[in-house]
């Protein structure tokens, strides 16, 4: 799977004197052999949202440039593989998914990004986000004391107040601090309460999973954040972790085990589907609303969760119409890989391209299952002054709870 990166320890850096990839020799023999196997079919290019929208990044060219430098000690970084090329990646994994010879272009790009971070070649809003993640535990740099402000008046128990819950609700940074994403968090709380689920939150003890830092190439900050979260989670007692963010879902589920944190993690689309199928949750309200679901890359492509969100939407009365690129072949919103905190000033905007694709099926509602996708799809809609609603799965379901407002 794309996005499964090999960690880097301080001991390794001290022993080897390198952090990330500066030359072709910094890649493993297995990686170099895979790069040499590139057939130049350009499927990675054709599927890449950055290439498609006119960015300088070409996953195929990155691979070919590394392969051409094999045996040389010359730096890979420069005119060919420029910082603009590397920062253009959204880490969606489409290139890896499409490659017929199983090259992991994404892991290579992250290795190259790590060198840029070590050399201080990251600036502006991206650098500020990394500093905020490290210092405040969230990319916005907001106080940890405000992490639970969204829960005021909602009767949400912390893990201290509800020990050993059925579900530990991992809120995530966006769900805690972003005004629009807070509404999704609140909707999920109403669903949990309506279904009688014993749940709890970590409250101020929760901090960023480290996903943005790792995708941008700051492995040390990721390891520090992940280690703190694993220590907190290991001290708690719960059955499963529930989250509304595919990035948190992917990181805790697939990457924390490498650091000793092995937990059962479920995305809210899967959990709501389970509540509906077991009869713990009943819905009522409108039917026949035409809706498209925008698949988050870190949910569908990276973790094979495709049917659950559609099943939930159908149960909520939506007629689900898929765009031409959907499921594991979906098109990125443009916010992954740290792009959420970077300016997009080259070519067409990725979120605008995706919005146009979604509108081909003339939906009344665009449903999302990720806070990053929510931001990007809402911005793309507002840019063209569209009347189409953008809502998270949890919001659509919460509106159809008995007594809810549709």
């Amino acid at each position: 799977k794309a996005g499964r990166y090999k960690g880097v320890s301080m001991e390794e850096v001290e022993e080897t004197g390198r952090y990330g990839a500066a030359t072709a020799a910094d890649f493993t023999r297995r990686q170099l052999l895979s790069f040499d196997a590139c057939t130049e079919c350009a499927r990675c290019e054709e599927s890449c949202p950055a290439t498609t929208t006119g960015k300088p990044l070409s996953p195929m060219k990155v691979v070919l440039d590394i392969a051409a430098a094999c045996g040389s000690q010359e730096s890979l970084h420069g005119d060919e593989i420029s910082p603009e090329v590397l920062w253009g990646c959204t880490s969606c994994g489409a290139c890896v998914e499409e490659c017929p010879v199983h090259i992991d272009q994404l892991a290579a790009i992250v290795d190259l990004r790590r060198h840029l971070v070590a050399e201080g070649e990251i600036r502006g809003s991206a650098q500020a986000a990394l500093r905020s993640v490290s210092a405040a535990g969230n990319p916005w740099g907001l106080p940890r004391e405000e992490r639970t402000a969204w829960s005021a008046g909602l009767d949400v128990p912390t893990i201290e107040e509800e020990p050993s819950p059925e579900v530990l609700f991992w809120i995530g940074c966006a769900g805690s601090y972003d005004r629009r994403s807070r509404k999704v968090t609140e909707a999920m709380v109403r669903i949990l309460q309506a279904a009688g689920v014993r749940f709890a939150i970590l409250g101020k003890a929760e901090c960023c999973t480290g996903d943005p830092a790792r995708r941008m190439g700051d492995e040390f900050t990721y390891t520090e954040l992940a280690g703190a979260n694993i220590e907190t989670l290991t001290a708690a007692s719960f059955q499963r972790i529930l989250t509304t963010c595919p990035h948190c879902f992917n990181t805790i589920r697939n990457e924390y085990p490498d650091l000793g944190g092995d937990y059962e993690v479920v995305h809210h689309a899967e959990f709501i589907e389970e509540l509906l199928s077991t009869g713990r949750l009943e819905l009522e309200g409108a039917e026949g609303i035409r809706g498209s679901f925008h698949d988050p890359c870190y949910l569908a492509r990276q973790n094979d969760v495709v049917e659950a969100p559609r099943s939930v939407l159908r149960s909520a009365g939506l007629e689900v119409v898929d765009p031409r690129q959907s499921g594991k072949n979906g098109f990125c919103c443009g916010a992954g890989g740290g792009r959420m905190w970077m300016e997009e000033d080259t070519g067409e905007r990725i979120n605008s391209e995706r919005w146009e694709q979604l509108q081909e099926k003339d939906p009344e509602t665009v449903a999302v299952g990720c806070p990053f996708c929510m931001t990007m799809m809402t911005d793309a809609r507002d840019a063209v002054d569209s009347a189409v609603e953008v809502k998270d799965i949890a919001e659509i379901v919460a509106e159809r709870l008995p007594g809810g407002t549709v």
Side-chain angles (χ1 to χ4, degrees):
K1 280 292 180 183
R4 309 290 196 263
Y5 316 128
K6 179 182 181 296
V8 180
S9 68
M10 184 63 76
E11 291 76 15
E12 284 181 79
V13 173
E14 291 174 349
E15 183 180 335
T16 63
R18 70 176 182 85
Y19 176 68
T23 70
D26 293 331
F27 290 97
T28 66
R29 181 174 177 80
R30 182 183 292 274
Q31 283 178 301
L32 292 173
L33 286 171
S34 75
F35 301 155
D36 192 52
C38 176
T39 63
E40 299 186 44
C41 68
R43 292 184 191 177
C44 59
E45 269 193 3
E46 292 167 3
S47 66
C48 176
T51 308
T52 300
T53 55
K55 312 297 188 292
L57 169 64
S58 160
M60 183 179 73
K61 190 174 184 305
V62 169
V63 166
L64 293 175
D65 285 342
I66 298 171
C70 190
S72 167
Q73 290 299 316
E74 291 188 12
S75 175
L76 291 167
H77 299 269
D79 294 337
E80 296 299 321
I81 306 181
S82 66
E84 290 73 25
V85 166
L86 298 175
W87 295 128
C89 177
T90 68
S91 78
C92 70
C95 53
V96 184
E97 184 74 23
E98 293 296 324
C99 183
V101 291
H102 308 294
I103 297 170
D104 195 334
Q105 302 93 332
L106 178 51
I109 288 171
V110 170
D111 272 337
L112 291 163
R113 280 184 169 187
R114 287 171 175 171
H115 176 76
L116 293 183
V117 169
E119 294 297 308
E121 290 287 340
I122 179 170
R123 299 183 179 87
S125 55
Q127 183 184 49
L130 278 179
R131 286 176 175 170
S132 294
V133 165
S134 179
N138 69 86
W140 288 274
L142 295 171
R144 182 164 292 193
E145 290 70 27
E146 295 180 14
R147 199 168 188 99
T148 57
W150 63 268
S151 65
L154 294 179
D155 192 25
V156 177
T158 63
I159 194 72
E160 291 80 16
E161 296 164 336
E162 180 65 75
S164 302
E166 177 185 352
V167 163
L168 179 68
F169 186 12
W170 183 276
I171 309 302
C173 297
S176 298
Y177 295 107
D178 180 73
R179 185 175 299 177
R180 181 65 185 87
S181 295
R182 281 181 171 187
K183 295 180 180 179
V184 178
T185 305
E186 294 165 10
M188 194 64 223
V189 165
R190 296 204 304 274
I191 292 168
L192 293 171
Q193 291 171 338
V197 177
R198 281 194 313 106
F199 74 98
I201 64 172
L202 287 176
K204 297 171 188 175
E206 181 187 298
C207 74
C208 180
T209 61
D211 166 84
R214 186 166 227 204
R215 310 309 155 206
M216 284 194 271
D218 189 347
E219 188 71 11
F220 292 148
T221 294
Y222 161 72
T223 303
E224 181 182 354
L225 293 166
N229 281 326
I230 289 170
E231 184 176 344
T232 300
L233 290 169
T234 301
S237 175
F238 53 86
Q239 295 178 29
R240 289 190 283 182
I241 296 173
L242 165 70
T243 180
T244 60
C245 176
H247 296 264
C248 296
F249 170 69
N250 178 73
T251 303
I252 300 173
R253 181 194 192 200
N254 298 318
E255 300 183 346
Y256 277 19
D258 292 339
L259 298 174
D262 202 348
Y263 316 102
E264 183 179 350
V265 191
V266 62
H267 183 262
H268 70 304
E270 299 174 294
F271 193 68
I272 294 171
E273 181 187 40
E274 181 183 310
L275 293 177
L276 290 167
S277 65
T278 56
R280 296 181 68 180
L281 189 67
E282 295 184 358
L283 305 180
E284 61 183 28
E287 293 186 359
I289 296 174
R290 189 176 174 86
S292 289
F293 180 65
H294 166 71
D295 291 276
C297 299
Y298 276 74
L299 189 65
R301 185 179 294 112
Q302 304 278 23
N303 287 284
D304 302 321
V305 179
V306 174
E307 179 53 31
R310 290 167 171 80
S311 173
V312 169
L313 292 172
R314 287 193 291 267
S315 295
L318 267 70
E319 175 195 352
V320 180
V321 288
D322 281 328
R324 54 188 161 93
Q325 287 188 255
S326 60
K328 290 172 68 65
N329 296 313
F331 193 87
C332 186
C333 75
R339 294 292 318 172
M340 180 78 171
W341 295 278
M342 300 182 203
E343 293 300 320
E344 188 173 359
D345 49 17
T346 305
E348 299 295 321
R349 294 186 66 84
I350 293 174
N351 62 338
S352 296
E353 170 66 24
R354 180 52 171 170
W355 183 258
E356 289 181 11
Q357 292 179 8
L358 290 162
Q359 298 317 297
E360 290 171 3
K361 291 298 181 76
D362 195 26
E364 298 170 69
T365 297
V366 167
V368 297
C370 170
F372 289 1
C373 297
M374 172 68 79
T375 296
M376 301 304 279
M377 291 302 96
T378 301
D379 286 353
R381 178 202 62 188
D382 293 348
V384 294
D385 198 24
S386 170
V388 175
E389 293 187 302
V390 179
K391 292 183 178 180
D392 187 89
I393 298 166
E395 294 178 299
I396 293 170
V397 170
E399 289 172 352
R400 287 155 178 77
L401 294 172
T405 303
V406 177

